[in-house]
Amino acid sequence: MTAHVIADAAEALAVARALVGEFRTDASVRDRERRLPRAELDRLSTSGLLAVTVPADHGGADVDAATLAEIFRLLATADGSLAQIPQSHFVYVNVIRRQGTEQQRKFFYGELLAGRRLGNAQSEAGTRHVQDIRTRLDRQPDGTYLLTGTKNYSTGALFAHWIPVLARTEDDKLHVAYVPADAPGLTVDDDWDGLGQRTTASGTVHLDAVPVPADRLFAHHLTFEGPQLHGAVAQLLHAAIDVGIAGGALAEAVAFVRTKSRPWFESGFETAAEDPLLIQRFGELAIQVRASEALLKEAARAVDAARAELTDDTAAEASIAVAAAKVTAAQAAVDVAGALFEVSGTRSALNSLNLHRHWRDARTHTLHDPTRWKVQHIGRHVLNGTRPPRHGLL
């Protein structure tokens, strides 16, 4: 695979805007037919967008968090499923940047610049909680490892060239093993049947004594031993997806009411768009979307500021800013996508129109991690100055 190399943030955003126009065209059909977006992901790869966080000294654009968040927001306005697939890709690019040796960085940055995609195999169903990782890396006499376990909700794995796997070594320390998708003993089941994000193929990864060379391991436990932005960046991208879904749903509602909705007979107007009660509701929804967009930008600025001068305090401020953005974005996505039907009328509920894909995507994606805990950490920080924990989900 060959890919274009994007030069800077301005080009990255221009490429993203052009692709969004393409991706929006068949987004509803892909969702309705559960047509997996392999061709669209190949377009993402060859466009160079998946390598935009590669450092400049390795040939990448090294875009800031604000640019990356905007790319995800734009993608999600067109297709909430498609936008979700590369989220883990960028998270695990960050792991390479922070924990990789120079040799590891050189190899994987070359892969990224060539358009290779990273998936994920991190969550495990049936364990005590999300951080109870039971997949094991067993060291062999020759210094290699065998990787064994089962992973669920593995968004991106089915489309990936490399699958980063969270696992523990014999000392119970957390590592990431970067495994080629065609490795012996690795299989990916396309068994995701969620009500939303239908085309993410977030299925199951089976790992049956998968061989892993030592130079494909990254000591992820070290990520959380000092001030870090791992969780803030990951959550920023989740927030951007929710903001994009909200914006896409609002745009869909506007188009529907302008062209298809009938005015309520008591309004006295010829068109639904003139109804003052609908005008009021659209104003409220627009404010909610604008607020979520503003907090997303503020959170991205906080992440970029912390990256420039990383301390416990700047990392905490970034995490809190991202948490505020995520709480607001999640609520906006669900509210606006649900209100689409309220403002559009009975016809909007027709299954053939598939307008419910926005709500299904919002409802499914916002279940990723509970915003109620983010509100708790925000409250503790503002009231008592308590820094948020370093667990990668904030």
Side-chain angles (χ1 to χ4, degrees):
M1 177 179 288
T2 58
H4 172 68
V5 177
I6 289 174
D8 53 30
E11 184 184 3
L13 291 174
V15 170
R17 292 187 187 101
L19 287 178
V20 165
E22 295 180 28
F23 295 161
R24 182 177 286 113
T25 302
D26 293 325
S28 181
V29 176
R30 286 194 298 273
D31 175 88
R32 184 167 55 245
E33 299 177 356
R34 199 176 179 274
R35 184 192 303 169
L36 299 182
R38 296 183 185 276
E40 289 75 18
L41 288 170
D42 284 344
R43 287 284 291 121
L44 271 179
S45 286
T46 58
S47 75
L49 276 182
L50 297 183
V52 294
T53 58
V54 170
D57 58 0
H58 284 268
D62 202 9
V63 304
D64 57 12
T67 301
L68 189 61
E70 178 63 3
I71 289 170
F72 272 80
R73 187 195 70 81
L74 287 167
L75 291 173
T77 63
D79 187 337
S81 286
L82 184 58
Q84 174 61 26
I85 294 170
Q87 189 270 345
S88 292
H89 170 96
F90 284 99
V91 169
Y92 285 105
V93 173
N94 277 347
V95 173
I96 295 168
R97 183 172 191 150
R98 185 172 175 91
Q99 301 303 339
T101 63
E102 184 56 30
Q103 184 177 8
Q104 287 174 319
R105 293 190 190 111
K106 182 178 180 180
F107 173 79
F108 279 106
Y109 289 155
E111 290 287 281
L112 296 168
L113 289 168
R116 304 288 192 271
R117 295 188 292 270
L118 307 181
N120 98 83
Q122 50 189 20
S123 294
E124 299 177 11
T127 57
R128 290 183 302 117
H129 51 69
V130 70
Q131 293 200 323
D132 182 16
I133 303 297
R134 301 182 184 181
T135 298
R136 309 304 297 188
L137 278 159
D138 296 316
R139 186 178 174 86
Q140 304 303 294
D142 63 357
T144 65
Y145 291 80
L146 292 180
L147 180 62
T148 303
T150 301
K151 297 291 189 175
N152 306 89
Y153 315 119
S154 304
T155 303
L158 191 67
F159 313 109
H161 300 96
W162 291 89
I163 302 177
V165 182
L166 278 184
R168 297 189 185 278
T169 48
E170 63 275 7
D171 57 5
D172 210 38
K173 290 184 176 179
L174 193 63
H175 289 70
V176 180
Y178 286 66
V179 181
D182 60 355
L186 186 154
T187 56
V188 182
D189 292 342
D190 179 18
D191 56 2
W192 170 245
D193 66 348
L195 68 89
Q197 294 195 299
R198 289 177 173 176
T199 61
T200 59
S202 301
T204 304
V205 172
H206 302 279
L207 304 150
D208 183 12
V210 177
V212 180
D215 64 357
R216 294 295 178 260
L217 287 188
F218 293 73
H220 195 37
H221 59 95
L222 298 177
T223 299
F224 308 104
E225 293 186 0
Q228 50 81 35
L229 296 172
H230 178 82
V233 171
Q235 289 289 306
L236 181 72
L237 301 186
H238 280 305
I241 293 167
D242 289 339
V243 174
I245 291 173
L250 181 60
E252 194 99 66
V254 167
F256 194 94
V257 170
R258 283 177 176 172
T259 61
K260 296 182 177 66
S261 292
R262 296 184 298 178
W264 184 243
F265 71 95
E266 292 179 285
S267 73
F269 290 97
E270 292 296 317
T271 67
E274 296 173 283
D275 184 336
L277 298 182
L278 280 180
I279 290 171
Q280 175 73 19
R281 190 68 179 113
F282 270 98
E284 294 166 350
L285 297 174
I287 290 169
Q288 199 168 1
V289 171
R290 282 174 174 260
S292 68
E293 291 172 347
L295 283 176
L296 180 68
K297 290 177 181 177
E298 179 183 318
R301 285 194 295 268
V303 169
D304 285 326
R307 182 172 286 156
E309 187 178 352
L310 188 59
T311 66
D312 284 329
D313 287 336
T314 61
E317 180 54 40
S319 287
I320 293 298
V322 171
K326 182 66 164 59
V327 170
T328 305
Q331 193 65 59
V334 173
D335 287 354
V336 177
L340 185 158
F341 304 99
E342 169 198 339
V343 297
S344 300
T346 306
R347 186 182 175 191
S348 65
L350 292 177
N351 208 45
S352 59
L353 296 176
N354 200 25
L355 295 178
H356 48 68
R357 72 182 176 91
H358 300 286
W359 183 86
R360 288 187 289 98
D361 284 346
R363 184 64 284 174
T364 303
H365 182 251
T366 54
L367 298 175
H368 181 273
D369 55 283
T371 57
R372 58 186 177 273
W373 276 98
K374 299 184 191 305
V375 176
Q376 281 283 310
H377 292 306
I378 294 168
R380 290 170 185 169
H381 186 259
V382 72
L383 186 61
N384 300 314
T386 305
R387 294 189 187 112
R390 298 171 179 163
H391 54 42
L393 287 168
L394 197 70

